[in-house]
Amino acid sequence: MKQRWKLQALICLGVIALACLPGAHAQTPKPLRIGLIGPFSGPSSDFGNPMLNGAKLALDEINAAGGYLGRPIEFVIKDDTANPDVGLQHSQELVQDGVVGTIGFCNTGVAMKSLDVFQQARSPLIVPCATGTPITAKYPAAESYIFRTSARDAIQAPFVVNDIVARGWTKVAILADKTAYGEGGLADVTKALATKQLQPVYVGRFDTGVKDLQPELKAAQAAGANVVFSYTVGPENAVIAKGRQALKWNVPQVGAWPLSFPFFLDGAKDAAEGALMAQTFIAEPSNERRISFLTAYNRKYGTRKIAVPMAAAQAYDTVYLLTYAILSIRNGDLSGPSVKNALENPPRVYYGVTATHERPFSKDDKDAITSNMLVMGLVKNGAVTFAYPEDRTRNLFVQRKQ
């Protein structure tokens, strides 16, 4: 609530200044347009729609406080359907529409195919969901127009590996799909294991859409694995869990944030119990900011449960970060290079839901999330909670980037 009052005061000052300009009352202010792209239908809509809803919630609050210097802000919304070719076409349309920036992408493969569009147009893109490490590594940081507010797999994988090794689970089987997301995740997990002088005892690859992974699970079991690290974004995570259960192979399943998705929780049901995954946000009212966000989201969308809380919270924070950057531009230059510079040089702290963003981006760093902001989530009674009581306590204080 305090954060919203600060934003409202900032916007009001701008509105007063704008009202003093000659001809300020001559016409209705033209909306400021921001692109919003993601999988709002299709196989990845389970986390695309929470991303969309979180972004809309933030925009409603910002417009209620005055928008951009009295101008309403509106989204130009594009549904990429989790299809790289569709995403590419819509990305080109957004750039042609002249949006001041774009928020989007949940799927690493879709994002990767569209990055050149934004980079070549010098139009800032902030990724609130997709976590594939290559997304923010494709271009030299100083030149890059690609920013991110989700936790890249290069920090999620070591975070989970550190946890399972501390638990004594060192015989790791990796099951990864053949998408760009699975390929990158496999590389990140293997690299993280190598830092512990470990290597996977088994690696299984599979196509998305597969309904049976018994051969791969049996091979992992025969290799002596005592933990299964799964890297896929869809229902295949549930296929793995149910396959273990059918084999009566009682070893833990761990992974990155897709183990908190409905595809896994609802698809695997009791076979999902005990699974562990990296999280930036767990939907429990652990502090004032999160209580405010959860209450507002549930009221607006008439729900008591967010399908993928991380997607919603990260998108919500992303809209505020982009708005803060735009509001800091004093000379009216909303060109891509100007917005990029504003994102890299934030004028004030944003007290967000997932993190306290003091300096989320810089010329040399386009990733807002660092590993200290992560917590380990645990599936318990069909929902995700904190794996460790001390994390619940630590979560009272929203973490800052290190």
Side-chain angles (χ1 to χ4, degrees), residues 19-149:
C20 295
L21 295 175
H25 302 287
Q27 57 185 3
T28 302
K30 183 179 179 181
L32 187 72
R33 308 179 85 203
I34 293 173
L36 184 64
I37 183 169
F40 309 131
S41 65
S44 292
S45 59
D46 60 336
F47 63 122
N49 283 315
M51 182 193 87
L52 175 65
N53 291 343
K56 284 182 173 180
L57 175 61
L59 193 70
D60 285 352
E61 294 172 357
I62 291 165
N63 279 330
Y68 172 72
L69 304 182
R71 293 169 61 183
I73 303 174
E74 67 178 23
F75 285 136
V76 181
I77 298 173
K78 301 289 185 179
D79 180 4
D80 64 35
T81 71
N83 183 308
D85 292 325
V86 174
L88 176 61
Q89 177 185 338
H90 286 329
S91 296
Q92 293 166 338
E93 292 167 355
L94 287 170
V95 167
Q96 291 166 2
D97 282 346
V99 295
V100 298
T102 297
I103 295 167
F105 297 115
C106 287
N107 305 91
T108 296
V110 181
M112 291 300 295
K113 188 153 188 175
S114 293
L115 296 185
D116 285 347
V117 173
F118 298 97
Q119 184 69 17
Q120 291 171 7
R122 300 201 299 172
S123 180
L125 167 71
I126 311 180
V127 180
C129 285
T131 59
T133 300
I135 289 174
T136 45
K138 184 170 183 177
Y139 312 108
E143 303 168 14
S144 181
Y145 280 77
I146 312 303
F147 300 78
R148 175 161 44 192
T149 52

Side-chain angles (χ1 to χ4, degrees), residues 149-225:
T149 52
S150 56
R152 66 192 186 279
D153 292 321
I155 65 171
Q156 288 196 60
F159 182 78
V160 177
V161 165
N162 287 342
D163 185 77
I164 63 177
V165 170
R167 293 170 182 262
W169 304 335
T170 57
K171 296 179 180 180
V172 183
I174 306 174
L175 296 182
D177 69 34
K178 296 178 182 177
T179 66
Y181 175 71
E183 186 74 30
L186 171 61
D188 287 325
V189 175
T190 303
K191 182 178 179 181
L193 287 171
T195 65
K196 304 288 186 182
Q197 289 75 52
L198 297 171
Q199 58 183 359
V201 297
Y202 174 79
V203 173
R205 304 301 305 279
F206 54 86
D207 295 313
T208 55
V210 67
K211 304 298 183 183
D212 180 16
L213 286 168
Q214 288 283 326
E216 290 81 1
L217 288 165
K218 287 178 180 178
Q221 185 179 29

Side-chain angles (χ1 to χ4, degrees), residues 124-396:
L125 167 71
I126 311 180
V127 180
C129 285
T131 59
T133 300
I135 289 174
T136 45
K138 184 170 183 177
Y139 312 108
E143 303 168 14
S144 181
Y145 280 77
I146 312 303
F147 300 78
R148 175 161 44 192
T149 52
S150 56
R152 66 192 186 279
D153 292 321
I155 65 171
Q156 288 196 60
F159 182 78
V160 177
V161 165
N162 287 342
D163 185 77
I164 63 177
V165 170
R167 293 170 182 262
W169 304 335
T170 57
K171 296 179 180 180
V172 183
I174 306 174
L175 296 182
D177 69 34
K178 296 178 182 177
T179 66
Y181 175 71
E183 186 74 30
L186 171 61
D188 287 325
V189 175
T190 303
K191 182 178 179 181
L193 287 171
T195 65
K196 304 288 186 182
Q197 289 75 52
L198 297 171
Q199 58 183 359
V201 297
Y202 174 79
V203 173
R205 304 301 305 279
F206 54 86
D207 295 313
T208 55
V210 67
K211 304 298 183 183
D212 180 16
L213 286 168
Q214 288 283 326
E216 290 81 1
L217 288 165
K218 287 178 180 178
Q221 185 179 29
N226 59 8
V227 61
V228 174
F229 204 129
S230 58
Y231 239 101
T232 184
V233 78
E236 297 78 21
N237 273 320
V239 172
I240 293 168
K242 290 191 291 186
R244 287 188 302 101
Q245 187 180 59
L247 289 174
K248 296 182 170 53
W249 186 30
N250 189 27
V251 296
Q253 183 172 345
V254 303
W257 74 305
L259 289 183
S260 67
F261 289 13
F263 266 142
F264 180 64
L265 300 178
D266 299 338
K269 299 189 183 302
D270 60 328
E273 284 292 296
L276 297 162
M277 80 296 295
Q279 297 278 275
T280 61
F281 173 73
I282 290 176
E284 295 184 11
S286 54
N287 60 45
E288 184 181 352
R289 298 179 214 170
R290 288 167 179 150
I291 292 170
S292 177
F293 168 73
L294 291 169
T295 301
Y297 188 102
N298 294 342
R299 182 185 300 118
K300 179 175 175 63
Y301 298 108
T303 181
R304 302 179 74 176
K305 180 180 180 182
I306 305 175
V308 182
M310 276 179 61
Q314 288 168 180
Y316 176 91
D317 283 348
T318 302
V319 174
Y320 269 100
L321 286 172
L322 179 56
T323 302
Y324 269 49
I326 292 169
L327 284 167
S328 73
I329 299 172
R330 302 294 184 178
N331 60 4
D333 177 9
L334 297 181
S335 65
S338 179
V339 175
K340 173 181 181 289
N341 181 67
L343 285 166
E344 294 169 348
N345 298 278
R348 60 188 56 81
V349 176
Y350 165 60
Y351 298 95
V353 176
T354 59
T356 295
H357 289 293
E358 185 171 11
R359 191 172 175 79
F361 310 116
S362 69
K363 184 177 179 181
D364 300 316
D365 186 2
K366 299 300 188 287
D367 279 290
I369 303 298
T370 47
S371 59
N372 67 294
M373 298 174 180
L374 298 177
V375 296
M376 190 64 71
L378 167 72
V379 178
K380 185 175 181 180
N381 299 323
V384 176
T385 187
F386 293 96
Y388 297 105
E390 55 267 33
D391 277 345
R392 179 178 282 105
T393 301
R394 186 171 68 91
N395 212 45
L396 293 170

